[in-house]
Amino acid sequence: MTENSQAQPAANPELPTQYAPAEVEGKLYERWVERGYFEADEKSGKPPYTIVIPPPNVTGSLHLGHAFEHTIIDALTRRKRMQGYETLWQPGMDHAGIATQNVVERELAKEGKSRHDLGREAFVERVWQWKEESGGQISGQMRRLGDGVAWSRERFTMDEGLSAAVQTIFKRLFDDGLIYRAERIINWCPRCLTAISDIEVEYQDDDGELVSIKYGDGDETLVVATTRAETMLGDTAVAVHPDDERYAHLVGKRIKLPLTDRTIPVVADTHVDPEFGTGAVKVTPAHDPNDFEIGRRHDLPNITVMDERAVITVPGPFQGLDRFEARSTIVAALRADGRIVAEKRPYVHSVGHCSRCKTTVEPRLSLQWWVKVAPLAKEAGDAVRDGRVTIHPKEMEPRYFGWVDNLNDWCISRQLWWGHRIPVWHGPDGETVCVGPNEEPPTGEGWHQDTDVLDTWFSSGLWPFSTLGWPEQTPSLEKFYPNSVLVTGYDILFFWVARMMMFGLYAMDGTPPFHTIALHGMVRDQFGKKMSKSYGNAVNPLDWMDTYGSDAVRFTLARGANPGVDVPIGEDWVQGSRNFANKIWNATRFAMMNGATVEGPLPDASQMSATDRWILSRLNETVAQVDALYEDYQFAKLSDALFHFAWDEVFDWYVELSKTTFFAGGEQAKVSGRVLGEVLDVTLRLLHPIVPFVTETLWTTLTGKESVVVADWPADSGFRDQAAEREIEHLQQVVTEVRRFRADQGLQSGQKVPGRLDLSATPLAAHEAAIRQVLRLQAAGEDFHATATLPVAGAKVELDLSGTIDVPAERKRLTKDRDAAEKEKQQAVAKLGNEAFLAKAPDNVVDKIRGRLSKAEADIERITAQLAALPES
């Protein structure tokens, strides 16, 4: 239903005295879903606007980072829907291979079982069962937040359609020679028992030991240093630089490898840095990526010394030991053999850990499946360079190019049971057949499917088009691809964004998956520290939603959303946003009770007061400002602009200035009531994408129409009145200065005092009643005695403070404050006049003292004026 066909305003709109989010949010959301507001129709003639959800892991729950990202996406899509776009926010979840398998294996362990007890088929069935029972909780949490996703289109990275997409693109890449199988050094997790990619390795500084070991004997001796002594069992050479004269006589010779009965060659390789350490390095091709390349250049054998659980497999005294046990045992044996030249302990160095289970990663030679990324990555880089895709903020472009321009081939195979199984069959004589989704695999004795599954990022890299029905040429794919914008964190620019770019350009004939990549930062606590359960500062956003309402959480997150910058957040900020929601509620309720209406056209400007024209001018300026900030993804700035316009200009100024008009009644009250209704109508629509629940309740009550979700987005009418703006700014100067004086005298904001106004030298004569209203000034009676006279912005304000303050006590307090300011001034002047101090002090210290001097002088001037304005005691 269009806005124009919605019902007319209710005759006597009523609202509860207080806003109770818990009583309205759930009901409103279900009503939106039932009415189909969030669904997308590929047959409509409206222009498309598409965003995919970064699919949360099926194992997960909504954390504050999700809430932040979803708030941004929901605001974008709600606004576009109001602007008349056919809007699709595509929902779904990721199967999260390693994480999900770990969860189910832990459940089995409670039963005293492992996945091997069940077998592959039964284990996968168990994972699907877990997914159906426990994996969908995040969708309920998304509803709590107000996510306007097209639920009927929800997808899962392992559902039937997406599985066909995975199989299709694998075969195309395989047939094009872009997928291959080879032995390479990979990152191996001995806990998860699978290969993991470089980007799934987290590096941290660990305490270890650096031992220097003497290889060889007599004149044929070399010293090498290592932090992984256990890998020496797999050494097949020692390498030195070709130009290193110290070892020239040893190159080509064989030396004794300690603790073994083997000898190994000394090879010359330019990879070795002769200035680092002893200039000699041990070469373990099966357990180090750099050593592997040296081994390939010198045709060295690859000796694997550990199994998949990082247990030593080399026959002898160390066989069966865990790698860390073996490390200390081998060092002890070397020490006993007189082979240890030096030991450094603790030795802090960077060590890779599995991002899933935090186990120390082991470099390991392994037969894996790889994507040849060079041609794909080049296309992904070119798409940004030639402008087909825009990265926002632009400052993030170098980080993107730094990754896509230097990508290594991508290891896509994982030694798991949960995931997309690699669609390759191996024959009895070494044959390899890749099978597409509509093809029959080879059968017969000796044929079997590859046991590995694909990296989770392989399937999520297809997300922008697989969710629309690709490889079929569906109406949804034609309508909604490419996506309009991708909203995601800069922390997965490499994990996910680069993969979507490579696959989208490859599968969709050079059309990138999205026009814009809008990157945001990470949510941190109020002190800027990363949120983590281990730090004790992690926040469940549902707890804040229960306490303060979903709108308060959303508005807090949006106010912190500067493009590409981390977002600090604390509970007191959510409390402030809750107060804002209450302010919107109370002020709108008051306005509606006092004549605010949307009935009929706006009166002509000639019928309006300057206050009316001022607020309409400011309203249109705010519409234009918010529109421009939305297009630049400046959520913090647009939220701040809306906050100050709604709270300060509408509620604290316009409503207050208009009270005398409303109380007086008559034609002018009707005009201002219609203006206030217009301002509320537009303001609530502007606020709706960020705070949808409270605005829905207020807007539908104000207008009597169906829903703000499908209302028109406000347009800048072009109305501006600079004269009215200057007039009200003048009024605000007068009121602000008098309010400041009242506060300085210790008067309460609502305390009334007798006052006399002289506005003859200003254009504010018509505003005297309003000024008196907001300043709480009573009429000056016969016994009025001006104890304070304030010349403010051309106006003269006289106040009678007799009986309102304790003059002697106030004089004593102000005198004490002035004395303190004088002392501060003297100290600052003394320091700034000391040449020796200025010569030694850093610039920032000198600037700080200058600032103290400036503040002290301003305080002295202000307090002196306050003392002069006090009545005689």
Side-chain angles (χ1 to χ4, degrees), residues 448-476:
H448 64 279
Q449 187 175 359
D450 197 285
T451 57
D452 289 349
V453 300
L454 287 163
D455 177 10
T456 297
W457 298 103
F458 190 96
S459 51
S460 59
L462 313 181
W463 192 248
F465 52 94
S466 63
T467 51
L468 298 174
W470 187 90
E472 300 298 323
Q473 295 304 306
T474 64
S476 289

Side-chain angles (χ1 to χ4, degrees), residues 768-781:
E768 180 168 348
I771 293 174
R772 285 185 171 277
Q773 166 69 29
V774 297
L775 285 177
R776 307 295 188 264
L777 296 183
Q778 296 173 326

Side-chain angles (χ1 to χ4, degrees), residues 238-252 266-275 278-281 294 297-298:
V238 174
V240 298
H241 194 275
D243 299 331
D244 194 334
E245 295 181 358
R246 294 173 295 174
Y247 306 119
H249 66 290
L250 293 177
V251 174
V266 178
V267 299
D269 196 281
T270 54
H271 171 76
V272 179
D273 181 0
E275 302 298 323
T278 64
V281 297
I294 294 175
R297 287 193 289 271
H298 297 276

Side-chain angles (χ1 to χ4, degrees), residues 190-387:
R191 159 63 184 82
C192 298
L193 299 180
T194 181
I196 58 177
S197 67
D198 291 344
I199 53 178
E200 293 169 306
V201 178
E202 295 178 348
Y203 286 90
Q204 66 184 46
D205 288 340
D206 287 356
D207 285 343
E209 61 178 346
L210 180 69
V211 293
S212 297
I213 308 168
K214 182 175 66 175
Y215 282 29
D217 295 298
D219 293 335
E220 297 182 351
T221 298
L222 285 168
V223 175
V224 300
T226 182
T227 58
R228 301 165 65 217
E230 69 280 6
T231 63
M232 67 168 292
L233 300 176
D235 286 358
T236 56
V238 174
V240 298
H241 194 275
D243 299 331
D244 194 334
E245 295 181 358
R246 294 173 295 174
Y247 306 119
H249 66 290
L250 293 177
V251 174
K253 293 186 177 181
R254 301 185 71 86
I255 60 175
K256 180 75 164 59
L257 177 64
L259 305 183
T260 73
D261 57 2
R262 293 193 290 119
T263 61
I264 57 176
V266 178
V267 299
D269 196 281
T270 54
H271 171 76
V272 179
D273 181 0
E275 302 298 323
F276 183 78
T278 64
V281 297
K282 59 191 290 295
V283 181
T284 319
H287 292 277
D288 183 273
N290 293 321
D291 292 3
F292 178 76
E293 295 302 325
I294 294 175
R296 292 178 67 181
R297 287 193 289 271
H298 297 276
D299 198 24
L300 299 175
N302 301 314
I303 300 177
T304 300
V305 300
M306 300 177 213
D307 66 11
E308 61 182 9
R309 298 182 184 276
V311 172
I312 301 299
T313 57
V314 177
F318 312 112
Q319 187 174 13
L321 295 180
D322 170 81
R323 56 182 163 163
F324 299 122
E325 295 175 313
R327 182 175 301 171
S328 57
T329 304
I330 287 172
V331 170
L334 289 167
R335 191 183 300 114
D337 200 28
R339 293 283 177 175
I340 299 295
V341 175
E343 296 180 68
K344 186 175 182 180
R345 188 185 301 111
Y347 178 73
V348 179
H349 61 134
S350 183
V351 177
H353 296 260
C354 173
S355 62
R356 299 294 181 187
C357 69
K358 311 309 176 186
T359 300
T360 300
V361 168
E362 190 65 38
R364 185 169 187 259
L365 185 65
S366 183
L367 182 63
Q368 301 286 344
W369 289 94
W370 304 80
V371 172
K372 188 182 297 183
V373 300
L376 303 174
K378 181 181 183 303
E379 288 294 318
D382 289 346
V384 174
R385 288 188 172 94
D386 64 24

Side-chain angles (χ1 to χ4, degrees), residues 161-203:
L162 272 65
S163 294
V166 168
Q167 204 170 347
T168 298
I169 201 163
F170 186 99
K171 181 168 176 57
R172 289 189 187 180
L173 289 164
F174 183 89
D175 291 345
D176 286 345
L178 295 174
I179 285 182
Y180 64 95
R181 196 181 191 210
E183 271 198 326
R184 298 281 188 277
I185 293 287
I186 47 88
N187 303 297
W188 182 266
C189 177
R191 159 63 184 82
C192 298
L193 299 180
T194 181
I196 58 177
S197 67
D198 291 344
I199 53 178
E200 293 169 306
V201 178
E202 295 178 348
Y203 286 90

Side-chain angles (χ1 to χ4, degrees), residues 365-635:
L365 185 65
S366 183
L367 182 63
Q368 301 286 344
W369 289 94
W370 304 80
V371 172
K372 188 182 297 183
V373 300
L376 303 174
K378 181 181 183 303
E379 288 294 318
D382 289 346
V384 174
R385 288 188 172 94
D386 64 24
R388 282 176 288 161
V389 178
T390 301
I391 293 180
H392 188 88
K394 191 174 179 62
E395 294 76 33
M396 286 289 176
E397 278 189 7
R399 181 180 294 197
Y400 175 79
F401 292 134
W403 281 330
V404 298
D405 293 347
N406 298 284
L407 282 178
N408 296 316
D409 283 0
W410 172 19
C411 177
I412 57 171
S413 46
R414 299 290 181 267
Q415 289 64 55
L416 304 171
W417 287 357
W418 171 246
H420 293 281
R421 195 161 174 183
I422 287 177
V424 170
W425 269 253
H426 302 287
D429 298 318
E431 304 97 328
T432 299
V433 176
C434 182
V435 178
N438 299 314
E439 300 173 353
E440 291 295 325
T443 57
E445 186 177 349
W447 283 95
H448 64 279
Q449 187 175 359
D450 197 285
T451 57
D452 289 349
V453 300
L454 287 163
D455 177 10
T456 297
W457 298 103
F458 190 96
S459 51
S460 59
L462 313 181
W463 192 248
F465 52 94
S466 63
T467 51
L468 298 174
W470 187 90
E472 300 298 323
Q473 295 304 306
T474 64
S476 289
L477 188 65
E478 183 178 351
K479 176 79 172 182
F480 296 113
Y481 187 91
N483 293 182
S484 305
V485 61
L486 173 74
V487 177
T488 191
Y490 66 73
D491 55 318
I492 58 171
L493 185 59
F494 180 78
F495 280 86
W496 188 42
V497 180
R499 282 149 172 69
M500 286 190 290
M501 286 286 283
M502 290 191 295
F503 282 164
L505 289 158
Y506 174 79
M508 301 301 292
D509 300 321
T511 301
F514 19 74
H515 296 301
T516 301
I517 301 169
L519 298 171
H520 59 72
M522 299 173 63
V523 176
R524 297 183 178 272
D525 70 13
Q526 64 267 43
F527 306 109
K529 191 174 182 180
K530 181 180 178 180
M531 285 191 173
S532 166
K533 291 181 181 178
S534 61
Y535 295 153
N537 63 351
V539 173
N540 182 347
L542 295 180
D543 293 339
W544 282 355
M545 290 183 209
D546 289 341
T547 305
Y548 306 109
S550 297
D551 284 333
V553 175
R554 290 170 63 114
F555 193 72
T556 303
L557 292 165
R559 285 194 84 180
N562 288 299
V565 179
D566 288 346
V567 183
I569 185 172
E571 187 169 3
D572 55 336
W573 302 341
V574 187
Q575 293 173 357
S577 296
R578 185 269 314 274
N579 295 342
F580 179 52
N582 289 341
K583 181 77 169 181
I584 299 170
W585 182 273
N586 294 333
T588 303
R589 181 174 179 273
F590 171 84
M592 292 168 63
M593 291 172 61
N594 287 275
T597 180
V598 295
E599 291 189 70
L602 270 176
D604 188 78
S606 62
Q607 299 176 269
M608 298 179 190
S609 67
T611 310
D612 294 333
R613 298 194 304 277
W614 163 74
I615 196 63
L616 287 175
S617 185
R618 293 295 307 128
L619 175 69
N620 280 288
E621 181 61 37
T622 301
V623 171
Q625 182 183 10
V626 168
D627 274 334
L629 291 170
Y630 259 114
E631 296 305 315
D632 201 31
Y633 304 97
Q634 297 279 358
F635 283 90

Side-chain angles (χ1 to χ4, degrees), residues 77-99:
T77 52
R78 283 178 183 269
R79 173 175 174 261
K80 286 296 182 181
R81 187 178 294 112
M82 295 171 75
Q83 287 182 314
Y85 286 78
E86 192 62 42
T87 302
L88 170 60
W89 182 8
Q90 173 66 53
M93 288 183 286
D94 192 283
H95 67 279
I98 296 176

